[in-house]
Amino acid sequence: GVPVQTLTAAELRSIYKRDTQFWSNGDPIRPFALPPESSLRQAFDLAVLGMDPQTATKYWIDQRVRGGAPPPRGVPSVALRARVITSLTGAIAYLPQSAVPQGVRVVAMIRGGSVTRAMAAAPFMADARFSTLVPSMHASVVASLGGP
């Protein structure tokens, strides 16, 4: 599993810009993302990386040219990312709150374009307060609790 309970905005940015590539226990961090045209991806990139779609595209092209780390692995559907996150050690992904599966830990929340830490040691529980949030603008950042 992932050896963190929560992540700050700076830690999340470092993971998704691929500056930090290993968890504190030495396991590789395996970040997953939606395709660039996804509204959830665009909201995530703006909130976490501070980049609009064009800036994010340029950033990853520049990284590739300079021999930097590859971008987070793209997974085209929220449902598939939810399955991957529960089975792959070191995995981290962002999901609409309505799609967070059991067996994962919410390590950060994105609300109103800002990243906030999740409650420490609290796995995601369905909460009526979040039922009216628009999935494309509010997300949970989840990390695998287990896996091979």
Side-chain angles (χ1 to χ4, degrees), residues 1-2 23 27-28 30 32 73 75 78-93 95 99-105 142-148:
V2 171
W23 296 110
D27 286 345
R30 295 184 171 105
F32 289 89
R73 186 172 295 168
V75 177
V78 168
L80 181 56
R81 278 201 345 250
R83 283 194 300 262
V84 167
I85 193 81
T86 59
S87 62
L88 187 62
T89 299
I92 185 168
L95 301 169
V100 175
Q102 290 189 340
V104 298
R105 177 183 302 125
V142 296
S144 173
L145 287 177

Side-chain angles (χ1 to χ4, degrees), residues 28-108:
I29 298 174
R30 295 184 171 105
F32 289 89
L34 282 170
E37 63 275 5
S38 160
S39 61
L40 183 58
R41 163 76 179 265
Q42 292 171 11
F44 179 87
D45 284 355
L46 192 58
V48 174
L49 305 179
M51 297 181 196
D52 62 33
Q54 294 80 16
T55 304
T57 298
K58 289 177 186 176
Y59 175 82
W60 291 114
I61 290 170
D62 185 58
Q63 289 298 303
R64 184 176 298 138
V65 168
R66 295 175 188 266
R73 186 172 295 168
V75 177
S77 78
V78 168
L80 181 56
R81 278 201 345 250
R83 283 194 300 262
V84 167
I85 193 81
T86 59
S87 62
L88 187 62
T89 299
I92 185 168
Y94 50 92
L95 301 169
Q97 291 173 336
S98 60
V100 175
Q102 290 189 340
V104 298
R105 177 183 302 125
V106 175
V107 294

